[in-house]
Amino acid sequence: MSDIYILCVEDEPEVLDVVVRDLADLEDVFPIEMAVSAEEAREIIQEMKERGDKLGLAICDHVMPGEKGVELLIDMQNDEFTRRTRKLLLTGQAGLEDTVEALNKAKLNRYIAKPWDPAELLQIAIDELTTFVIEHEKDLLRYMGVLDIKRIQEVIREKGSFSDS
Amino acid sequence: MPTNRRRRGKSKSAFPKWTKTAVGLGLGIIGFCIPLLFTFTGLSFAGHLALGIFLMAAVFWMFEPIPIYSTSMLVIFLQIVLLSTQGPLFQGSQLPETFAEPVGEQTWSLPAEAVDGDQIFLKKSPTRSEELSIEVIERNDQVIFFSTEITAETPVVAQYKHKLVQYEPVSYTRFFNTLASPIIILFLGGFMLAAGAVKYNLDKNLTNVLLKPFGTKPMFIVLGLMLVTAVLSAFMSNTATTAMMMTVAIPIAMQVAKEDKFRIMLALCIPIAANIGGMATPIGTPPNAIVISALNQQGLGIAFGSWMALMVPLALLLLLLAWGTMRVIFPPTVDSFKLALKSSFDKSYKAIMLYAIFGLTVLLWVTEAQHGIPSGMIAFLPIAGLTVTSVLSKDDVRSLPWEVLWLVAGGIALGISMENTGLAIWLVSSISWEMLPQFMLLLVFGFVALMLSNFLSNTVTATLLIPLAISMGTAGIGGEGFNLIITSLLIGSACNMAMLLPISTPPNAIAMSTGFIKTADMVKVGIVIGIFGLLTALTMALIYWPFLI
Amino acid sequence: MAMTLNQADIDRAKRARNIIKASSSANTYDKSTVIKAIKDLLPSSKLLSQLKREFEAGEIILAENQQNHHLFIIVEGTVSQMKSGAGLNTAIDYQGAGDFIGLLSFQTGQTAFTTAKATTPVTTLAIDHKNFELFHTRYPEISKVIQGLIFSNLSDRYRRVVTLHVEVALLSKQLEQERNQLQNAIQALEKTRNALISQEKMATLGELTAGLAHEINNPASALFRSVDYLINSLPGLAERAAALPDNGLVRFFFEEGFKRRLDNSKLNREKQKKLADEYPELKRSVIRLLSEMSPAAFDKIKPFITSKHQEHFHLLLDVFQSGSFLESIKLSTARIEYLVKSLKSYSRQSGSEPEVADIRTGIKETLQILGSRLQDVQVETKLTEIPPVLCFIGELNQVWTNIIINACEAMNDKGKLFISCGKDEKNVWVRISDTGPGVPDLIKNRIFDSSFTTKTAGGDFGLGIGLAISKGVVEKHNGTVKVSDREGGGAEFLITLPAHTGKK
């Protein structure tokens, strides 16, 4: 069975460290990958693709040396493999223009300003991953323990995802 | 048990999935071959074939190398190929015949290969034989025997080991027909009602209405949740009911601290009630279908309302038992809860059609004994009604749990073969049951059913056990006082009482994956319900059911 | 006098005389009638014929400031009267048939007031003083008519002067009004300009704040979250540590955590993969921590991984993590402190008095503050020793900021930026050049104009008056700013400021 990954892209290791720590509750079900640049993120995504895993959520800083976060997200949107990935911009500074571009071209799902509230970040990650598994996964029970139980139950009820036997 | 719960870490040390698949497939195929390689005395040729199918199906159902419903499909496939009149084995085959030669007064002689011990088989039709006991006087290559019933013109089967002996092949349509048997249609009707209820949120609104009278005291809330869950799951799938009720129970559970055990109770009471509620009506869970169809084959009809009269009291007792047990194990620490129960019934044309059809169908089902219209017939009211009024769309019809119908149909078909090939009787007669009193017989059956269905699908357990119980009754092995209906009902309810483990039933799996419950919690309550529930059912089987049947 | 008079001429002359007589007796001096009469008289009158003078078009009849001895009566053609003065030659009037030229100078003996120039071929009667007397005696009626004409001409002129006066008065009133309006407009413009300048300043400020927000947010986030974690974990750690057999381990792992340096993340990932294969039962978060440990630390924690020592294992992990969070806090605090320091000195509000300062400090601070903007710009600085400058250092920082931002914008934030400085005998100079497209010659002069911008409306920030402000600031410091092409492409700004000589 393939795993659904979370990918965090952030150029500053200390910040990356705390982002991952804030998401630690999800890690046992959704393994977390870290990248310090857009370039590394691409490598990681490529590896996932080769392993047959999925990328459920990408949390991306905008202002980074080299390629900007929004550019990475746009490329992800244009790639079949990462199109469905939920995309989250976590940044202290992105101009209105960049944000609008991200919204339009990368179909950005969420925007979080730095510094963030850890509970909020976790909740948003949960919401987004719940949406992802509901839309793309069949065996929802596997994720119910860490995700939004109510929404998943509702889907099980409506879709009759599995039946008595 | 369709859950492939995988916990990180554990899964890596456990067997890889393909190993399990390979073992399952291998064992299944071996099981299928055993009866073809060995000859069991007293079992007909067709019985050997049926035994092969039975063993293979049992292995496949246990190890699940393929989904359980596809095992059912495979069963039907093998039956039409191996056991039907039109299959290659029995196509055009006839019983070889010979005639007894008179030796003296009512003394006859036959070739030795036509006599099985002290039995001969009289040929009644090209494919049907009937056994007759004789008094053997002398035996070499000719058997000389005494019989008053045979005449010179009576055709006798020339080879007692011929494949047609003791088995009259049935048309392949007999196996197909299981798919459209009244009980399957009854289930289909139930599925459609449930699909409509979910689509128009009837289940949710009913829940909110029904929960109101239970107030805000913790134990009453739990009681309310359990009763409502049980009522809904009596008509809807246990799984869908659990998923829906969980969305009600979770917000309540969130109001208590993480460490509070009451939280466990809130999450655990739902699957337990859903499992128990499934017993209450014929359409509650698939094992009920197996019981009913097996009884139907014996000409024993059981009306919808009669079933409820038999089972509702048991379900209520079990609910109270579970409630009381959990109250002891997970005492509540909070005084009262906030409940946001808002019902807003859909008032569109389609929703109202649904309410009307739902109400009418249930009413007709419950009063079956009064008006005499079979429940399978009534089930066509929602089937036709909900689609004609376009309450359910094409997509809704497509998304019904058709595989459950296949599972049940395969089970029913297997039961047919087990019975008419003599396999079931052969199996049960290999143990001497006469030593056991009726009470012990029920206890043994109930216990086996309980144990098996904790690990296997409830339907599969019923499929494997019910034909055996039925044949005990028909063969008279059960001794006097053996009641087919009571025994079947007991096995059926034992199957539904299995809720020891997360894998025991889908509702358990759903509750487990909320993360509120630990397996140990489930096992504690599951053991109590299993043991005391079985005893309760036994008590009812001995002192209550006999009065209604 | 070889002149033959034909009868027609004589008749015409007669009629003319009659007309003149009639008009002189009637005291009516209609110009056209009189001129027609004179024209008619001309062929037959010897005197008149003598007086006749003709001019080509463009010929000067009477030049300004000349002595004039004739009174010219225009019989045919037009003459323009011009007055030179204040460096220009203004046509003030046009004269036609029946008008006089040199009337005033002829009568008063003063030099001519205006220049008369024929604009078409012109026929005049030029009467000198002698002939004027002659007329008076020989042709009293003609003289009378001429005098009448003169009078009417003078009164005409007088009337015109009066009208002119009125017109001038009106005009000057209008002018006054227009002048007032202009003044208002200028005031409004002044205001707008000031507003624009402050907007530009705000925009620069905006840029700076945004950059700073990012620069500070990152360490702030790390700081905030690390402290959060420690608040939750520290109290428990102390208690749990007591249970450990060897207390030295706690200190060791704490220090290990504090010394932790995050590896190259790729290497780290490979390490994690290996660990995950080796210890499949461990959670990923644990594997991650293990991968961050030094080999020495890993060797020490290894014996605890077995399930028997779970308690201790997790304690050590937590201790390690606490150490690493403290390190994070230390790093983040240092970053913030440095940023704040830079910001403080960067924005040092110039007091009323300039100070003697090393402008290189200001340049360095500016580069620090613009850090996020310059992420993809390779900055090469060559700041050699230079004498201090008497300046408002905060304002000069604004200059560096504007020029650097301008360069960044020109290069789309990607390229190289060269900053160097030096001195000559009196001045210090700073050279800032980039690898952008450069400034086209055409606009080199205008680039410092306050209205000039190559930025498109909307998208870009700022109003394009940053360079104008910079120029203003530099000029206030008695310096100059010039733009030229950098060798190898790009623009080069050279700022020169007078070096501080030691006296205040």
Side-chain angles (χ1 to χ4, degrees):
Chain A
M1 189 182 282
S2 64
D3 280 321
I4 299 176
Y5 275 80
I6 300 173
L7 173 63
C8 301
V9 192
E10 161 70 61
D11 59 319
E12 302 201 24
E14 288 90 38
V15 182
L16 191 55
D17 219 28
V18 288
V19 173
V20 172
R21 168 146 265 285
D22 287 343
L23 299 177
D25 282 359
L26 296 172
E27 198 171 11
D28 283 325
V29 182
F30 300 95
I32 301 175
E33 288 282 13
M34 305 150 88
V36 292
S37 69
E39 191 195 4
E40 196 188 355
R42 285 176 200 282
E43 279 172 31
I44 293 173
I45 291 173
Q46 189 57 34
E47 280 173 28
M48 278 179 204
K49 207 171 173 178
E50 282 160 13
R51 281 198 306 266
D53 286 328
K54 293 174 189 162
L55 180 55
L57 174 67
I59 299 178
C60 197
D61 184 20
H62 176 54
V63 183
M64 293 187 290
E67 208 178 336
K68 296 281 169 282
V70 169
E71 290 170 42
L72 175 67
L73 291 180
I74 291 174
D75 276 6
M76 286 174 64
Q77 183 63 24
N78 292 334
D79 183 355
E80 190 59 42
F81 178 68
T82 42
R83 181 163 305 150
R84 297 157 160 187
T85 300
R86 307 302 289 177
K87 299 175 189 78
L88 205 157
L89 199 60
L90 175 70
T91 180
Q93 177 213 16
L96 182 65
E97 216 182 333
D98 292 329
T99 315
V100 169
E101 195 181 9
L103 277 172
N104 289 338
K105 292 192 189 158
K107 300 270 178 287
L108 185 71
N109 299 104
R110 294 300 263 272
Y111 176 98
I112 301 178
K114 282 181 191 167
W116 65 92
D117 171 17
E120 191 195 346
L121 178 68
L122 181 63
Q123 190 52 51
I124 287 176
I126 287 174
D127 286 350
E128 294 304 320
L129 283 168
T130 305
T131 309
F132 182 85
V133 298
I134 285 177
E135 282 175 6
H136 309 298
E137 292 297 303
K138 283 196 183 114
D139 179 14
L140 295 175
L141 289 186
R142 194 180 157 203
Y143 308 107
M144 205 152 75
V146 292
L147 296 184
D148 186 337
I149 302 172
K150 263 194 99 174
R151 273 173 70 200
I152 293 184
Q153 295 280 16
E154 189 63 27
V155 171
I156 291 176
R157 164 183 170 264
E158 275 174 10
K159 284 199 189 156
S161 301
F162 58 108
S163 42
D164 292 2
S165 60
Chain B
M1 37 176 248
T3 51
N4 297 320
R5 282 181 58 81
R6 191 181 87 153
R7 298 224 133 204
R8 180 162 298 285
K10 282 182 191 164
S11 68
K12 286 186 178 161
S13 49
F15 292 113
K17 203 183 168 195
W18 69 266
T19 323
K20 201 183 150 203
T21 310
V23 168
L25 281 175
L27 282 178
I29 292 166
I30 292 171
F32 181 74
C33 294
I34 288 174
L36 306 182
L37 300 174
F38 302 94
T39 309
F40 301 103
T41 37
L43 186 62
S44 69
F45 173 75
H48 280 79
L49 292 176
L51 180 61
I53 297 173
F54 175 81
L55 289 176
M56 187 203 66
V59 171
F60 281 4
W61 274 329
M62 282 181 211
F63 291 87
E64 280 186 63
I66 56 172
I68 53 175
Y69 63 87
S70 56
T71 301
S72 277
M73 291 170 171
L74 182 62
V75 164
I76 297 180
F77 173 73
L78 290 174
Q79 284 176 318
I80 56 168
V81 170
L82 300 178
L83 293 172
S84 75
T85 325
Q86 292 82 358
L89 293 182
F90 293 99
Q91 197 176 29
S93 63
Q94 284 201 344
L95 284 169
E97 67 182 277
T98 180
F99 293 92
E101 283 172 23
V103 180
E105 185 135 331
Q106 283 162 359
T107 313
W108 308 83
S109 117
L110 273 174
E113 64 261 32
V115 185
D116 174 22
D118 48 4
Q119 279 181 327
I120 57 168
F121 294 88
L122 301 181
K123 188 178 168 187
K124 292 290 181 185
S125 79
T127 56
R128 202 163 73 81
S129 60
E130 199 178 281
E131 57 182 77
L132 178 72
S133 293
I134 50 171
E135 211 176 295
V136 177
I137 297 169
E138 193 191 327
R139 187 192 296 267
N140 38 48
D141 51 341
Q142 289 274 319
V143 176
I144 297 168
F145 62 95
F146 174 85
S147 173
T148 53
E149 288 170 47
I150 199 164
T151 60
E153 292 80 36
T154 315
V156 178
V157 175
Q159 299 162 343
Y160 76 87
K161 281 183 178 167
H162 190 271
K163 56 191 175 186
L164 286 180
V165 169
Q166 283 185 318
Y167 177 62
E168 185 182 5
V170 291
S171 169
Y172 71 104
T173 54
R174 175 90 192 271
F175 301 113
F176 284 177
N177 285 347
T178 56
L179 261 176
S181 62
I183 188 68
I184 294 284
I185 298 300
L186 180 66
F187 262 69
L188 183 56
F191 287 167
M192 295 195 67
L193 282 181
V198 168
K199 187 174 178 184
Y200 296 94
N201 286 328
L202 178 61
D203 54 344
K204 277 187 164 179
N205 288 317
L206 270 182
T207 302
N208 289 342
V209 169
L210 294 175
L211 270 181
K212 263 185 197 144
F214 291 94
T216 56
K217 291 259 178 294
M219 282 321 291
F220 283 103
I221 288 180
V222 171
L223 188 64
L225 284 173
M226 291 180 78
L227 284 174
V228 173
T229 308
V231 168
L232 287 176
S233 80
F235 294 94
M236 290 172 48
S237 122
N238 297 352
T239 313
T241 307
T242 304
M244 192 276 295
M245 289 305 293
M246 275 294 177
T247 62
V248 179
I250 286 162
I252 306 174
M254 292 295 191
Q255 291 178 38
V256 295
K258 253 188 179 170
E259 306 75 38
D260 198 326
K261 286 187 167 177
F262 189 59
R263 200 172 179 152
I264 303 173
M265 163 143 57
L266 279 166
L268 195 53
C269 72
I270 304 288
I272 289 175
N275 292 333
I276 294 173
M279 299 179 193
T281 66
I283 60 164
T285 67
N288 301 356
I290 301 292
V291 172
I292 289 175
S293 74
L295 291 174
N296 275 343
Q297 270 174 46
Q298 302 307 318
L300 297 168
I302 184 160
F304 202 99
S306 321
W307 176 285
M308 286 181 72
L310 292 167
M311 296 304 262
V312 168
L314 174 60
L316 281 175
L317 283 175
L318 287 178
L319 283 178
L320 285 174
L321 172 67
W323 183 66
T325 309
M326 286 194 289
R327 189 177 182 163
V328 175
I329 304 182
F330 317 110
T333 51
V334 187
D335 283 340
S336 73
F337 286 96
K338 276 178 246 145
L339 284 181
L341 300 173
K342 275 183 213 143
S343 48
S344 62
F345 285 91
D346 193 338
K347 293 195 183 64
S348 63
Y349 151 78
K350 286 179 182 174
I352 290 172
M353 284 312 294
L354 169 77
Y355 305 153
I357 293 172
F358 199 109
L360 184 61
T361 309
V362 171
L363 181 73
L364 287 173
W365 273 340
V366 176
T367 56
E368 186 187 332
Q370 279 73 45
H371 52 66
I373 305 171
S375 50
M377 265 174 80
I378 298 165
F380 238 86
L381 176 64
I383 295 173
L386 292 178
T387 47
V388 165
T389 53
S390 62
V391 170
L392 290 182
S393 67
K394 187 168 78 181
D395 285 340
D396 298 328
V397 174
R398 276 189 187 157
S399 58
L400 292 177
W402 293 101
E403 80 281 3
V404 175
L405 299 185
W406 277 101
L407 172 64
V408 175
I412 297 172
L414 186 62
I416 293 174
S417 288
M418 284 176 76
E419 204 208 332
N420 68 7
T421 60
L423 173 64
I425 290 180
W426 180 79
L427 282 174
V428 292
S429 61
S430 49
I431 306 164
S432 76
W433 301 90
E434 285 92 340
M435 297 160 70
L436 294 174
Q438 164 84 6
F439 166 76
M440 279 308 288
L441 251 178
L442 287 175
L443 184 65
V444 168
F445 263 118
F447 186 72
V448 172
L450 186 65
M451 289 316 289
L452 274 182
S453 75
N454 263 318
F455 297 96
L456 301 189
S457 140
N458 297 350
T459 316
V460 166
T461 309
T463 303
L464 299 175
L465 291 180
I466 296 284
L468 302 182
I470 295 278
S471 50
M472 283 185 74
T474 51
I477 299 170
E480 261 179 62
F482 186 93
N483 187 308
L484 273 185
I485 297 181
I486 287 176
T487 313
S488 305
L489 282 179
L490 186 88
I491 293 172
S493 44
C495 290
N496 290 328
M497 276 180 236
M499 48 193 97
L500 197 62
L501 300 167
I503 55 154
S504 298
T505 68
N508 283 17
I510 290 183
M512 198 65 199
S513 50
T514 57
F516 289 178
I517 310 169
K518 292 197 186 74
T519 308
D521 303 322
M522 195 171 263
V523 170
K524 276 184 220 162
V525 183
I527 286 180
V528 173
I529 293 178
I531 294 174
F532 289 94
L534 188 59
L535 292 179
T536 313
L538 264 177
T539 316
M540 298 205 77
L542 296 175
I543 63 173
Y544 172 61
W545 291 346
F547 291 102
L548 297 185
I549 295 164
Chain C
M1 174 121 229
M3 192 180 185
T4 43
L5 296 172
N6 57 35
Q7 193 52 48
D9 284 340
I10 291 162
D11 290 347
R12 225 182 295 143
K14 260 187 203 155
R15 267 201 313 276
R17 269 171 216 267
N18 291 338
I19 288 166
I20 289 170
K21 260 185 206 153
S23 60
S24 81
S25 56
N27 275 337
T28 59
Y29 307 107
D30 176 50
K31 264 198 276 185
S32 52
T33 323
V34 174
I35 288 301
K36 189 155 186 302
I38 289 175
K39 267 186 183 166
D40 288 345
L41 273 175
L42 256 178
S44 57
S45 164
K46 200 177 163 195
L47 177 65
L48 290 180
S49 305
Q50 277 176 357
L51 296 176
K52 188 169 119 185
R53 270 242 204 105
E54 289 181 324
F55 298 92
E56 297 293 314
E59 207 175 332
I60 302 283
I61 302 170
L62 182 61
E64 189 178 340
N65 297 328
Q66 264 182 359
Q67 285 296 323
N68 179 27
H69 306 291
H70 293 89
L71 173 67
F72 298 90
I73 303 171
I74 303 169
V75 179
E76 213 172 355
T78 48
V79 172
S80 90
Q81 248 185 310
M82 286 177 311
K83 174 80 186 156
S84 62
L88 39 91
N89 228 359
T90 326
I92 35 176
D93 210 351
Y94 287 92
Q95 312 287 349
D99 289 332
F100 295 85
I101 292 168
L103 182 61
L104 290 178
S105 50
F106 176 73
Q107 297 278 25
T108 59
Q110 288 171 345
T111 55
F113 188 58
T114 59
T115 303
K117 192 177 169 189
T119 55
T120 60
V122 171
T123 309
T124 61
L125 293 180
I127 308 169
D128 55 13
H129 287 282
K130 205 177 89 199
N131 284 322
F132 198 75
E133 290 302 316
L134 205 65
F135 259 114
H136 201 53
T137 49
R138 297 247 314 258
Y139 303 101
E141 64 285 336
I142 290 187
S143 168
K144 199 180 170 198
V145 169
I146 288 176
Q147 277 172 8
L149 273 180
I150 288 172
F151 185 73
S152 90
N153 187 288
L154 282 174
S155 69
D156 251 12
R157 287 191 190 185
Y158 175 69
R159 209 172 291 129
R160 276 221 306 276
V161 166
V162 172
T163 324
L164 264 175
H165 266 292
V166 174
E167 269 175 18
V168 164
L170 273 173
L171 264 175
S172 52
K173 201 174 166 194
Q174 250 175 12
L175 269 175
E176 181 77 8
Q177 276 174 359
E178 271 168 26
R179 205 176 62 107
N180 285 340
Q181 277 169 4
L182 265 176
Q183 215 149 28
N184 289 342
I186 287 170
Q187 271 169 11
L189 271 173
E190 190 87 0
K191 262 190 208 159
T192 318
R193 182 170 164 270
N194 290 339
L196 285 177
I197 289 174
S198 74
Q199 265 185 46
E200 178 76 20
K201 276 185 183 159
M202 287 307 286
T204 313
L205 190 66
E207 171 90 355
L208 292 175
T209 339
L212 263 178
H214 184 258
E215 295 285 321
I216 291 188
N217 260 334
N218 274 333
S221 301
L223 182 62
F224 185 64
R225 304 289 311 106
S226 304
V227 170
D228 235 24
Y229 170 78
L230 287 178
I231 288 173
N232 288 329
S233 69
L234 274 186
L237 277 185
E239 284 169 22
R240 285 156 63 197
L244 211 64
D246 175 7
N247 255 322
L249 271 177
V250 173
R251 169 179 277 269
F252 174 80
F253 275 95
F254 182 80
E255 281 166 0
E256 274 293 319
F258 195 73
K259 280 192 296 193
R260 176 190 71 152
R261 291 290 172 270
L262 291 171
D263 270 337
N264 166 309
S265 58
K266 198 173 170 182
L267 267 173
N268 205 278
R269 270 213 311 287
E270 276 159 19
K271 236 168 151 184
Q272 282 179 34
K273 260 180 225 162
K274 251 189 226 162
L275 284 167
D277 286 343
E278 204 174 334
Y279 303 103
E281 72 279 6
L282 290 183
K283 286 185 158 199
R284 277 182 188 253
S285 46
V286 172
I287 295 269
R288 185 188 315 287
L289 276 179
L290 288 180
S291 77
E292 287 166 0
M293 287 183 187
S294 67
F298 183 70
D299 285 344
K300 286 210 178 185
I301 204 168
K302 215 169 162 181
F304 293 98
I305 297 179
T306 51
S307 53
K308 223 168 134 189
H309 301 98
Q310 283 299 304
E311 282 277 302
H312 297 163
F313 177 57
H314 285 285
L315 170 67
L316 291 180
L317 284 178
D318 287 348
V319 167
F320 177 79
Q321 189 151 40
S322 298
S324 74
F325 275 111
L326 270 179
E327 182 231 9
S328 230
I329 290 175
K330 192 181 152 210
L331 286 177
S332 307
T333 325
R335 284 263 315 276
I336 293 177
E337 194 193 2
Y338 183 54
L339 276 166
V340 171
K341 234 188 215 165
S342 308
L343 183 69
K344 228 159 122 188
S345 75
Y346 171 88
S347 64
R348 191 166 31 211
Q349 268 308 314
S350 16
S352 48
E353 290 296 312
E355 52 189 313
V356 178
D358 185 348
I359 54 171
R360 291 175 301 171
T361 327
I363 295 174
K364 283 178 204 153
E365 282 160 9
T366 307
L367 288 174
Q368 176 63 33
I369 302 263
L370 288 176
S372 70
R373 178 81 193 237
L374 295 170
Q375 265 183 341
D376 293 336
V377 176
Q378 214 177 310
V379 183
E380 285 182 19
T381 50
K382 215 169 98 189
L383 301 176
T384 54
E385 200 62 41
I386 47 169
V389 171
L390 183 65
C391 63
F392 297 98
I393 194 142
E395 290 185 17
L396 281 183
N397 282 348
Q398 179 102 39
V399 173
W400 317 134
T401 310
N402 281 332
I403 292 177
I404 292 171
I405 287 180
N406 190 71
C408 288
E409 267 160 13
M411 299 190 289
N412 275 328
D413 291 319
K414 279 185 189 100
K416 283 187 183 173
L417 190 70
F418 307 92
I419 302 177
S420 57
C421 67
K423 56 177 178 186
D424 50 33
E425 56 273 26
K426 278 184 190 168
N427 297 318
V428 299
W429 51 262
V430 176
R431 185 176 284 132
I432 302 175
S433 50
D434 61 54
T435 55
V439 182
D441 289 338
L442 256 178
I443 59 170
K444 277 210 177 78
N445 296 328
R446 290 164 52 209
I447 186 167
F448 293 110
D449 289 356
S450 61
S451 60
F452 182 77
T453 179
T454 58
K455 298 171 196 171
T456 47
D460 287 317
F461 102 173
L463 297 160
I465 57 174
L467 291 178
I469 293 175
S470 303
K471 192 184 181 198
V473 171
V474 173
E475 281 171 357
K476 182 175 160 190
H477 286 82
N478 298 321
T480 56
V481 53
K482 281 182 203 145
V483 63
S484 58
D485 292 330
R486 191 183 76 89
E487 262 178 62
E492 179 172 297
F493 286 84
L494 180 67
I495 299 102
T496 317
L497 294 166
H500 181 59
T501 49
K503 301 168 273 182
K504 253 208 165 174

